[in-house]
Amino acid sequence: MTKICYLMRHGQTVCNQEKRFYGSLESPLTDKGCSQAKRMAQLIEAHEVEHVYVSQLSRSQETARLVFPNRSFTVLPGLNEKKFGLWEGKTADEIEQAFPEEWKQWLEAPLCYTPPEAEPFSQFKERVQACMQSILATPAQSLAIVAHLGVLRVIYQAFVDSSKDFWDIDIPQGQVLSMRLDKDSSWKILFLK
């Protein structure tokens, strides 16, 4: 049985543009972000998608509405971006100034150190993986996930290549990554062109 999962990162937001940590904060798409979503719509239009899943955050829902107009989608909190606690809404320079010791600790071990009032990476990873397992257990043979870079990195690392460094996984805004589960139970990936 073949299953295809299209991974899409939400379009550029105001916080992306300003290089802010924003995790669970809301931030609207920029004009560029809307254009990126429309590009993804063109990339995906020739492919059948039975079901669309999005996070609770408006940027992923806004992107999904532009990619899949006139379609409903399922909102799953398990697809939400990692919460960065007291660092949300701040740039790296602002974080370093307000939390110098914590910033240093995070730079030394970003997947182990938890910023103040943030979601621990291990819990974030478990949440995303459990959500993805439940999505894959559905009968849909072709589905799309519109989410966040951290979420998509966890999915890629868990289901495609566990040896790939988390920070080296790049799923650019405006691109669609196709994951195909082949008969040998391995995931094959490619960016749609």
Side-chain angles (χ1 to χ4, degrees):
M1 172 175 77
T2 300
K3 191 172 269 240
I4 300 174
C5 180
Y6 299 101
L7 301 181
M8 299 176 209
R9 183 178 171 195
H10 63 76
Q12 182 193 63
T13 67
V14 171
C15 282
N16 286 140
Q17 202 172 37
E18 296 173 353
K19 297 183 179 357
R20 294 186 181 280
F21 283 63
Y22 63 116
S24 65
L25 290 181
E26 294 290 5
S27 183
L29 296 184
T30 61
D31 289 343
K32 181 178 180 179
C34 292
S35 295
Q36 290 167 334
K38 290 172 186 171
R39 173 173 160 61
M40 288 189 287
Q42 293 170 341
L43 292 171
I44 198 79
E45 70 183 345
H47 302 272
E48 180 184 347
V49 175
E50 294 173 55
H51 205 87
V52 179
Y53 297 91
V54 300
S55 80
Q56 291 177 309
L57 299 168
S58 63
R59 57 192 179 267
S60 73
Q61 294 180 31
E62 188 178 352
T63 300
R65 278 191 287 278
L66 291 167
V67 175
F68 302 101
N70 307 313
R71 293 269 314 257
S72 62
F73 43 81
T74 301
V75 177
L76 297 174
L79 295 175
N80 288 354
E81 184 60 288
K82 181 185 180 308
K83 296 174 185 152
F84 277 94
L86 297 180
W87 291 8
E88 290 190 350
K90 295 178 175 26
T91 65
D93 289 342
E94 291 168 342
I95 295 168
E96 184 177 22
Q97 186 174 3
F99 303 93
E101 195 55 42
E102 294 89 344
W103 179 249
K104 183 180 174 191
Q105 290 178 50
W106 186 77
L107 288 178
E108 290 172 2
L111 302 181
C112 299
Y113 176 77
T114 303
E117 298 182 24
E119 178 180 23
F121 182 79
S122 60
Q123 288 178 12
F124 166 66
K125 186 175 176 179
E126 288 171 19
R127 168 173 59 82
V128 172
Q129 288 176 352
C131 183
M132 185 64 175
Q133 289 288 5
S134 69
I135 290 170
L136 294 176
T138 67
Q141 294 302 298
S142 59
L143 53 100
I145 295 173
V146 183
H148 313 273
L149 182 58
V151 170
L152 300 179
R153 283 175 168 163
V154 168
I155 291 170
Y156 186 97
Q157 199 175 48
F159 295 91
V160 177
D161 185 355
S162 61
S163 68
K164 185 121 177 159
D165 185 84
F166 181 82
W167 303 108
D168 291 337
I169 299 167
D170 186 28
I171 301 173
Q173 292 164 319
Q175 298 292 318
V176 178
L177 180 64
S178 169
M179 290 178 31
R180 177 190 214 75
L181 182 61
D182 283 339
K183 294 173 188 157
D184 66 356
S185 296
S186 67
W187 288 96
K188 309 294 187 234
I189 60 155
L190 64 100
F191 280 104
L192 300 184
K193 297 184 188 244

